[in-house]
Amino acid sequence: MTEPILDIENLSISFFTRAGEIPAVMDFSCKVMPGEAMGLVGESGCGKSTVALGIMRDLGVNGRIVGGTIRFRGQDMNEMSEAELRKIRGSAISMVYQEPMASLNPAMKVGRQLMEVPIIHEGVDEAAAIERALEMLSSVRLPDPQRIMDAYPHQLSGGQQQRIVIAMALLSNPALLLMDEPTTALDVTVEAGIVDLVKDLGKTFGTSMLFISHNLGLILETCDRITVMYSGEAVETGTVKDIFDDMRHPYTQGLFRSIPLPSADKTARPLIAIPGQLPLPHERPPGCNFGPRCAHFEAGMCDRGDLQMRTPWGLEGHETRCVRTDDIDWAAPIAGDHTSEPIVPGETVLRVDGLKKYYRVAANEIFGGTEARSVKANEDVSLEAREAETVAIVGESGCGKSTLARVLLGLETATDGKAVLGNMEIGDVEIGDRDTGTVSSIQMVFQNPFDTLNPSHTVGSQIIRSLEKFGVGASQAERRSAMLELLDLVKLPREFESRMPRQLSGGQKQRIGIARAFAGRPKLVVADEPVSALDVSVQAAVTELLVDIQRSSRTTMLFISHDLSIVRYLSDRIVVMYLGHVVEQGTTEQVFAPPYHPYTEALLSAVPIADTSVVKKHIVLEGDIPSAMNPPPGCPFQTRCPRKHLVKDGRCESDMPPMRRVASGHIIKCHLDDADLDAMEPVISLAG
């Protein structure tokens, strides 16, 4: 077939409010061919999801298509009646949303929800619907489909819920599948499984896809072509290889310079954040929307009239909304390229030795039972962190990363073992019993900046309150001066002192959280997924800010993350955790090169990398992480280990592996023989 399944031409969508018309999408064009996957990327607020909702005609009471056409299989959807739209929604066109529980009814069993799709759209009987649902659950690689059918959504993991939503979307054999950030909330190992599934959809079912994501690595792994959006417009489109290897719009170039590719280095080749921020819809500049943030902007040329998509010289099938695309030297460095002096670590600041944290669970006591069980959240955790060093703690959700952070911060106390900060034991001291000096010396930057600021107080007053608590400054004037210096430190204008949190962007709120954490001049900062909720360009700015502050203050940082790309870029040493255990520990170079613990090997394989020159081994873990209340005997990883068959005597299933030193400072908890470890090949390598 040469006709596109989806043909969007000059689409414009606006939302009508009391303040007037807000143009969300303007002059957007895109084609999706049969069996093809089109990626749609850009920062939050650029209009990606609005395009998908426009296709589904689900724009709410305020949204309206004000220009252009959307053709599905050659038919103009704007001319379809509500009855015709209902007929194709959920059958010919399906959508998978970012949050799976938004699509699942918590009061209905999974089986009944799946059966509804063929019953409603195709009128099949109940027996046929059950058979179809079971087949589809197997197709999306869910184990024990009958058990899944009988479960309620809350009884399943996030990855299982997302697979069910994908199964539901596929049950009617749609010609077009819209996927809006379908893996954002998932662990990298679960994400890898979903990516594998998505890649097979076109081959197995002949499904065309519009895949919306801010993760360029995911787009590289799943899509054939890509459209980059900025401020409501498509700014570049072409094949994935063309865009990744030969980009022709400054915004696309800025996105790639903001992400921690393997070639990036925090001292030799730091990330370069895109300056400024996305304009509000009613404040878009004349001409090129990206003009105020562009290093190649030329007055009188870039700000004149509406810009149209055009083909760069010599690049057929590649379009860009840049009038200077043929004049720019795309290989030249841009302003912001720089090198920095390496940060030299000092003496040990934090020492954790044999730390255990158990939670006693005795739910049966409510009903008169006596059985008590323990959740082993941390089991024999040992690590060290030196002054000005960044130690990353990585692993899937439920591995014990955040529990360790809570013990260090005094929100929980250790069941056994020690945690020593400087010369002070902190593992068994709750935060309420810690003196001001200890509290100020260990602070935290949280994952979600929206939940950490009081919406009723100004930014300045919230930072000053932290300074008061930490005993900084003898008077209000001194504390205000210190607060203004902290705003300087996190590179925010001093005028933000009087702003309310609602007036700040996500990246600005995270900077305020960082300023507050550094108010007491801490020795140790625990950063729990501090950039995962931010756009890639904002991630780069916040990441560089943390590096700069660490360089000037020589603060130690414990960086908790599941994103191994940012971990590789930022950390000096890495601690890999699984089911409460430390399974590998070493310098960043050691952990990213063989030999690996099999779990580390799988984590590295799961990381999407936005670089066409990188080749990865393909390892997808089967099953979910076991319950910490009922861990498996022997090695905690043995139920999912792809290398367990190499250990012939069954020790993996009966004996806890010892910690083995495979190199100076590099230790692995594994039963594999030295010969098996030495034979491991790199997971990530360069093509050719």
Side-chain angles (χ1 to χ4, degrees):
M1 290 176 65
T2 56
E3 289 297 312
I5 285 286
L6 179 71
D7 187 357
I8 304 174
E9 192 172 344
N10 307 120
L11 178 68
S12 294
I13 297 174
S14 293
F15 290 90
F16 293 85
T17 68
R18 291 178 184 176
E21 181 181 354
I22 298 175
V25 173
M26 304 164 299
D27 188 32
F28 177 85
S29 298
C30 170
K31 289 183 181 180
V32 182
M33 303 304 288
E36 180 182 64
M38 167 67 82
L40 199 55
V41 302
E43 293 172 280
S44 298
C46 73
K48 306 186 301 293
S49 296
T50 303
V51 168
L53 293 173
I55 295 168
M56 296 294 285
R57 295 285 293 274
D58 185 21
L59 293 167
V61 293
N62 295 330
R64 197 178 309 157
I65 295 173
V66 294
T69 57
I70 303 172
R71 289 188 176 86
F72 176 67
R73 287 176 167 166
Q75 188 177 359
D76 190 342
M77 295 182 71
N78 291 343
E79 297 176 355
M80 290 184 184
S81 66
E82 276 299 317
E84 289 174 311
L85 286 169
R86 274 197 303 273
K87 191 174 180 180
I88 64 169
R89 278 197 209 110
S91 55
I93 303 177
S94 292
M95 187 161 179
V96 176
Y97 295 88
Q98 180 173 349
E99 171 49 57
M101 280 306 291
S103 306
L104 296 172
N105 187 332
M108 285 175 66
K109 288 185 177 180
V110 167
R112 175 53 58 182
Q113 296 185 59
L114 289 167
M115 288 160 58
E116 279 186 345
V117 178
I119 288 173
I120 290 172
H121 289 290
E122 299 174 40
V124 304
D125 60 32
E126 190 166 305
I130 291 172
E131 187 178 343
R132 287 267 297 278
L134 288 169
E135 286 175 3
M136 190 55 69
L137 288 177
S138 298
S139 296
V140 297
R141 302 173 196 168
L142 278 166
D144 195 355
Q146 188 58 60
R147 181 185 68 82
I148 299 288
M149 290 273 284
D150 293 335
Y152 287 96
H154 71 270
Q155 295 174 307
L156 306 174
S157 68
Q160 290 173 332
Q161 290 172 1
Q162 193 62 286
R163 284 168 189 257
I164 286 160
V165 172
I166 293 172
M168 198 179 296
L170 292 173
L171 263 170
S172 57
N173 297 322
L176 177 65
L177 182 62
L178 310 177
M179 305 192 81
D180 190 359
E181 302 273 13
T183 64
T184 301
L186 306 178
D187 281 312
V188 286
T189 50
V190 179
E191 180 181 75
I194 298 290
V195 166
D196 254 20
L197 173 65
V198 168
K199 278 158 55 174
D200 289 341
L201 291 179
K203 299 172 190 171
T204 308
F205 298 99
T207 310
S208 302
M209 272 192 300
L210 189 67
F211 193 104
I212 297 170
S213 180
H214 67 273
N215 188 325
L216 287 162
L218 269 183
I219 294 296
L220 175 60
E221 293 193 0
T222 55
C223 295
D224 306 299
R225 292 195 301 124
I226 176 175
T227 297
V228 182
M229 286 191 74
Y230 179 80
S231 189
E233 296 178 326
V235 295
E236 188 165 11
T237 186
T239 67
V240 165
K241 183 167 177 54
D242 282 349
I243 302 295
F244 276 61
D245 293 347
D246 209 2
M247 61 201 74
R248 283 291 186 269
H249 194 282
Y251 176 61
T252 311
Q253 186 184 56
L255 286 179
F256 276 89
R257 288 174 180 264
S258 299
I259 56 180
L261 298 173
S263 56
D265 183 280
K266 69 178 178 182
T267 55
R269 194 181 168 192
L271 302 180
I272 303 171
I274 302 173
Q277 53 192 336
L278 201 74
L280 295 172
H282 58 282
E283 295 176 354
R284 291 185 175 115
C288 177
N289 286 340
F290 188 61
R293 306 174 73 185
C294 182
H296 305 291
F297 178 81
E298 192 171 295
M301 187 176 183
C302 299
D303 55 0
R304 193 176 58 205
D306 292 334
L307 306 186
Q308 303 300 315
M309 296 289 279
R310 59 195 294 263
T311 301
W313 184 82
L315 294 176
E316 282 302 316
H318 191 152
E319 290 187 314
T320 177
R321 200 181 294 269
C322 178
V323 294
R324 298 201 60 221
T325 187
D326 295 331
D327 306 329
I328 296 170
D329 180 0
W330 294 99
I334 64 170
D337 275 345
H338 64 284
T339 58
S340 304
E341 288 296 315
I343 303 173
V344 180
E347 297 296 316
T348 299
V349 169
L350 174 71
R351 181 179 289 105
V352 177
D353 188 17
L355 186 140
K356 297 180 181 180
K357 176 60 186 176
Y358 297 169
Y359 294 96
R360 185 171 179 271
V361 179
N364 287 348
E365 291 178 1
I366 298 171
F367 305 105
T370 57
E371 181 186 358
R373 303 175 74 181
S374 290
V375 175
K376 298 180 178 181
N378 287 153
E379 186 73 68
D380 196 25
V381 175
S382 297
L383 60 91
E384 288 187 358
R386 295 181 290 170
E387 181 191 46
E389 185 177 49
T390 299
V391 177
I393 302 178
V394 301
E396 294 169 281
S397 300
C399 73
K401 306 186 301 291
S402 294
T403 298
L404 176 60
R406 292 174 66 84
V407 171
L408 296 177
L409 288 159
L411 301 174
E412 306 279 359
T413 56
T415 304
D416 197 5
K418 290 185 176 182
V420 180
L421 182 66
N423 296 316
M424 183 174 296
E425 164 63 45
I426 60 171
D428 57 357
V429 184
E430 290 186 355
I431 192 165
D433 298 328
R434 294 183 181 183
D435 58 41
T436 302
T438 305
V439 172
S440 64
S441 64
I442 177 167
Q443 285 292 298
M444 188 161 186
V445 178
F446 294 90
Q447 178 174 357
N448 193 341
F450 308 95
D451 294 339
T452 58
L453 297 175
N454 189 324
S456 304
H457 292 266
T458 63
V459 162
S461 67
Q462 295 191 57
I463 297 175
I464 286 174
R465 176 157 175 78
S466 296
L467 293 167
E468 285 175 346
K469 287 285 186 182
F470 298 148
V472 177
S475 65
Q476 194 70 3
E478 286 185 17
R479 284 189 281 272
R480 182 173 182 270
S481 176
M483 177 269 296
L484 294 173
E485 288 175 7
L486 282 166
L487 288 179
D488 294 340
L489 181 71
V490 296
K491 300 175 183 173
L492 286 175
R494 291 191 169 195
E495 301 81 64
F496 275 44
E497 170 192 7
S498 58
R499 293 232 182 147
M500 304 297 283
R502 67 176 181 275
Q503 296 173 293
L504 308 182
S505 68
Q508 289 167 342
K509 287 178 183 176
Q510 193 61 291
R511 286 168 185 256
I512 297 301
I514 292 168
R516 210 164 51 175
F518 280 89
R521 302 183 183 92
K523 294 178 184 176
L524 175 70
V525 168
V526 180
D528 189 359
E529 302 271 15
V531 297
S532 64
L534 307 176
D535 279 312
V536 287
S537 57
V538 183
Q539 275 186 16
V542 172
T543 300
E544 288 309 294
L545 173 66
L546 287 169
V547 173
D548 290 344
I549 294 175
Q550 185 180 47
R551 184 172 277 112
S552 60
S553 66
R554 293 194 61 78
T555 303
T556 303
M557 188 155 61
L558 215 58
F559 189 82
I560 297 172
S561 181
H562 69 273
D563 184 347
L564 284 168
S565 295
I566 197 76
V567 162
R568 181 177 197 159
Y569 174 79
L570 197 59
S571 62
D572 303 298
R573 289 192 303 111
I574 298 174
V575 176
V576 182
M577 292 187 69
Y578 184 82
L579 205 60
H581 294 258
V582 173
V583 296
E584 184 166 6
Q585 190 172 162
T587 66
T588 303
E589 292 76 16
Q590 288 171 334
V591 172
F592 272 81
Y596 315 103
H597 187 282
Y599 179 58
T600 309
E601 187 180 33
L603 284 181
L604 293 176
S605 170
V607 178
I609 299 174
D611 189 337
T612 56
S613 66
V614 167
V615 176
K616 289 191 309 177
K617 281 181 67 178
H618 186 68
I619 303 165
V620 176
L621 294 180
E622 299 295 331
D624 296 313
I625 190 167
S627 167
M629 193 186 298
N630 187 27
C635 173
F637 187 56
Q638 55 101 350
T639 57
R640 302 170 75 196
C641 182
R643 292 182 176 270
K644 184 171 73 170
H645 66 279
L646 296 174
V647 182
K648 305 296 186 186
D649 58 8
R651 281 175 297 157
C652 296
E653 298 176 0
S654 57
D655 300 340
M656 179 66 68
M659 279 303 237
R660 300 163 52 195
R661 191 171 303 278
V662 294
S664 177
H666 188 192
I667 54 177
I668 293 177
K669 182 179 268 189
C670 188
H671 282 306
L672 285 176
D673 293 337
D674 290 342
D676 292 325
L677 289 174
D678 292 340
M680 282 186 168
E681 298 175 348
V683 171
I684 300 169
S685 57
L686 295 176

